[in-house]
């Protein structure tokens, strides 16, 4: 049976054949026609069994076979799950860091993200730039957290990703130490299981080291101001111990970094912070006991624990001696007691039981410094009319 095979391409004309160098169509000889008929007949018989052509069979075999094995699929799913979990953990870390360091208002976070995203696209100012209560390095930290969150949002174009990464690099180039140090302090504080309030103060305390890494260690008064809101809490000592452990962990991390010439000053500052935390724990404890004794003695007009402790630190362990003395004068002047010299009772016992206590000995540079401070308090209080002559011998 003759089979008509349709041409795969359009038939070539004689002119086209001549132009291409091909020969014009000619009549087949009897021998050539016989060979052609035998070839067509053989292929017709081969396909009469209903089997598809070889190329079709091969195509069906390839399409029907899974592109990956079950094991390969499982590995791919697991890898994707790890990537998604990592992205989720990173996103949650940055969100929590934002909540701790700046605000827990997630509605404001959404506005902050939109504002910064618009600012990056239009080269304009964002809400962060308009924040007048933040230092430049704090603004950079907040922007870094926001950009990190923006980069994890789905559906970003290649241009948006490139612009955000460029912006992130510019933040790191200008305030990289402060940003990385703050995030490291956050992570260490989380590992130490600090409460959110204590964690915030811990980060602030560590940031003072990051801000001025090449000057003298920050004094104890700056640390007190960072944790002031926690002074009156019942678990103050426990939180401060966790904070101290956090600094110890940071110190361990710092010691693994090289070169030592760069990290050595930071080691000194961190060790100073650890010692200051120990002193604050002692100072808070003795001031709290003293005020409890004053309350039991029915003295009225007593100062708050945080105000009295701040005045002590200003007078004893900072350059704000005059401010501290004036504060102690005001505090003592406000104390009273029924039919008793409340002012004298308060200040003489405070000087004797607190300022001269061996527990606070390390607050002073040396013994001469302590004598100078305690004698100076008596002198200034007498000059202010708060402490009468002979009152230094009064006791509660």
């Amino acid at each position: 049976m003759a089979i008509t095979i349709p041409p795969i391409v359009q038939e070539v004309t004689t002119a086209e054949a001549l132009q291409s160098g091909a020969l014009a169509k000619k009549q087949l000889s009897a021998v050539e026609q016989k060979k052609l008929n035998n070839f067509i007949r053989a292929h017709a018989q081969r396909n009469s069994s209903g089997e598809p052509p070889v190329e079709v069979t091969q195509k069906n075999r390839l399409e029907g076979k899974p592109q990956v094995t079950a094991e390969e699929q499982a590995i791919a799913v697991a890898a994707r799950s790890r990537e998604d979990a990592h992205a989720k953990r990173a996103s949650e870390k940055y969100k929590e860091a934002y909540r701790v360091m700046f605000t827990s208002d997630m509605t404001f976070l959404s506005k902050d993200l939109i504002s910064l995203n618009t600012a990056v696209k239009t080269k304009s100012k964002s809400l962060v730039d308009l924040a007048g209560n933040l230092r430049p390095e704090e603004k950079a930290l907040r922007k870094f957290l926001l950009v990190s969150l923006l980069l994890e949002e789905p559906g970003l174009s290649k241009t948006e990703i490139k612009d955000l990464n460029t912006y992130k690099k510019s933040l790191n180039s200008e305030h990289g130490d402060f940003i990385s140090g703050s995030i490291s302090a956050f992570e260490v504080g989380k590992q130490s299981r600090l409460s959110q309030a204590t964690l915030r103060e811990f980060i602030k305390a560590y940031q003072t080291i990051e801000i001025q890494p090449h000057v003298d260690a920050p004094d104890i008064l700056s640390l007190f101001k960072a944790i002031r809101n926690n002074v009156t809490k019942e678990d103050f000592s426990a939180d401060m111990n966790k904070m101290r452990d956090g600094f110890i962990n940071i110190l361990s991390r710092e010691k693994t970094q090289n070169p030592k010439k760069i990290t050595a000053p930071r080691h000194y500052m961190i060790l100073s912070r650890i010692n200051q935390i120990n002193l604050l724990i002692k100072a808070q404890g003795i001031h709290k006991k003293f005020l409890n004794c004053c309350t039991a003695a029915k003295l009225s007009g007593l100062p708050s624990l945080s105000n009295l402790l701040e005045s002590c630190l200003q007078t004893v362990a900072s350059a704000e001696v005059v401010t501290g003395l004036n504060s102690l004068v005001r505090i003592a002047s406000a104390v009273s007691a029924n039919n008793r010299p409340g002012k004298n009772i308060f200040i003489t016992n405070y000087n004797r039981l607190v300022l001269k206590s061996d527990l606070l000995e390390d607050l002073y540079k040396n013994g001469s410094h302590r004598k100078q401070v305690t004698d100076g308090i008596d002198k200034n209080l007498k000059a202010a009319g708060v402490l009468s002559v002979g009152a230094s011998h009064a006791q509660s």
Side-chain angles (χ1 to χ4, degrees):
M1 180 178 65
I3 298 177
T4 302
I5 303 177
I8 298 176
V9 296
Q10 190 176 15
E11 187 177 353
V12 180
T13 64
T14 303
E16 290 171 335
L18 291 172
Q19 289 173 0
S20 64
L23 295 175
K25 184 177 180 181
K26 70 176 183 176
Q27 194 71 24
L28 294 176
S29 67
V31 176
E32 290 173 334
Q33 184 65 49
K34 184 179 180 180
K35 288 182 179 180
L36 176 61
N37 290 338
N38 291 337
F39 177 81
I40 293 173
R41 190 182 301 111
H43 279 271
Q45 290 174 352
R46 188 178 299 171
N47 290 332
S48 65
S49 63
E51 295 179 1
V54 175
E55 64 272 13
V56 176
T57 304
Q58 182 67 16
K59 179 181 179 183
N60 290 341
R61 187 178 294 116
L62 290 173
E63 290 181 348
K65 185 179 180 180
Q67 297 301 304
V68 293
T69 64
E71 182 180 0
E72 290 172 330
Q73 286 179 329
I75 293 172
V77 171
R80 180 56 184 267
S81 298
R82 286 194 297 270
E83 289 176 2
D84 292 344
H86 175 74
K88 184 177 181 181
R89 286 196 301 271
S91 177
E92 288 303 314
K93 180 184 78 171
Y94 291 130
K95 280 185 180 179
E96 188 170 3
Y98 181 93
R99 285 196 294 265
V100 170
M101 298 183 200
F102 297 103
T103 176
S104 58
D105 185 349
M106 292 295 98
T107 301
F108 185 83
L109 171 59
S110 298
K111 294 179 181 178
D112 222 3
L113 286 168
I114 294 172
S115 173
L116 188 66
N117 196 22
T118 302
V120 172
K121 290 178 179 178
T122 62
K123 311 297 181 184
S124 58
K125 288 188 176 182
S126 65
L127 286 174
V128 183
D129 295 308
L130 300 176
N133 61 331
L134 297 179
R135 298 187 300 269
E137 60 273 6
E138 291 173 326
K139 290 182 180 180
L141 172 60
R142 183 165 140 190
K143 288 178 181 179
F144 179 90
L145 295 175
L146 293 172
V147 170
S148 298
L149 289 172
L150 286 171
L151 281 168
E152 292 175 4
E153 291 187 352
L156 293 176
S157 67
K158 291 183 178 180
T159 301
E160 288 174 323
I161 293 174
K162 180 181 178 182
D163 290 344
L164 288 172
N165 276 319
T166 300
Y167 192 78
K168 190 174 183 179
K169 288 179 181 178
S170 68
L171 294 173
N172 268 323
S173 64
E174 191 170 358
H175 297 288
D177 289 343
F178 183 82
I179 292 171
S180 61
S182 299
I183 293 177
S184 294
F186 166 77
E187 292 173 340
V188 169
K190 287 291 295 180
Q191 292 172 0
S192 300
R193 297 183 180 180
L194 296 175
S195 65
Q196 181 163 317
T198 306
L199 177 56
R200 182 183 301 112
E201 310 310 333
F202 170 66
I203 295 170
K204 287 181 181 178
Y206 184 71
Q207 284 173 340
T208 59
I209 297 174
E210 291 285 356
I211 295 170
Q212 296 176 310
H214 302 298
V215 299
D216 293 339
D219 61 22
I220 193 172
L221 186 58
S222 67
L223 174 61
F224 168 80
K225 290 178 179 178
I227 54 90
R228 181 189 179 96
N229 294 334
N230 294 341
V231 168
T232 57
K233 293 182 178 179
E234 290 298 324
D235 57 352
F236 173 80
S237 295
D239 281 349
M240 291 299 289
N241 281 327
K242 290 180 180 178
M243 184 184 287
R244 180 191 59 201
D245 293 342
F247 274 104
I248 292 173
N249 290 335
I250 288 179
L251 183 63
S252 299
R253 184 199 62 149
E254 290 284 341
K255 286 184 176 180
T256 63
Q257 298 181 4
N258 287 314
K260 292 184 178 180
K261 289 183 179 180
I262 296 177
T263 57
R266 292 167 57 79
H267 295 172
Y268 169 74
M269 292 182 188
I270 295 171
L271 285 170
S272 296
R273 273 295 187 220
I274 293 171
N275 292 333
Q276 289 168 0
I277 289 173
N278 289 332
L279 282 172
L280 272 182
I281 293 173
K282 293 179 182 179
Q284 190 265 1
I286 194 171
H287 277 80
K288 186 176 181 179
K289 288 181 180 179
F290 175 76
L291 288 176
N292 287 340
C293 289
C294 290
T295 300
K298 297 182 179 181
L299 297 180
S300 58
L302 293 171
S304 67
L305 175 58
S306 58
N307 284 343
L308 184 58
L309 183 52
E310 182 175 12
S311 297
C312 171
L313 296 174
Q314 285 178 325
T315 305
V316 175
S318 79
E320 304 176 22
V321 179
V322 175
T323 302
L325 286 173
N326 290 336
S327 181
L328 284 175
V329 169
R330 288 193 299 272
I331 287 172
S333 298
V335 178
S336 61
N338 292 331
N339 301 319
R340 289 182 299 163
K343 300 174 184 179
N344 290 346
I345 293 173
F346 175 85
I347 199 62
T348 54
N349 283 286
Y350 178 74
N351 202 2
R352 180 175 62 88
L353 299 175
V354 177
L355 296 179
K356 294 181 180 180
S357 170
D358 290 340
L359 290 175
L360 300 186
E361 182 179 4
D362 290 337
L363 276 175
Y364 301 94
K365 296 177 182 178
N366 48 48
S368 298
H369 178 220
R370 179 164 65 168
K371 187 176 187 304
Q372 181 183 4
V373 169
T374 54
D375 289 351
I377 287 176
D378 284 345
K379 181 178 180 181
N380 281 277
L381 290 172
K382 288 176 182 177
V386 174
L387 189 64
S388 61
V389 178
S392 59
H393 300 291
Q395 297 182 13
S396 61

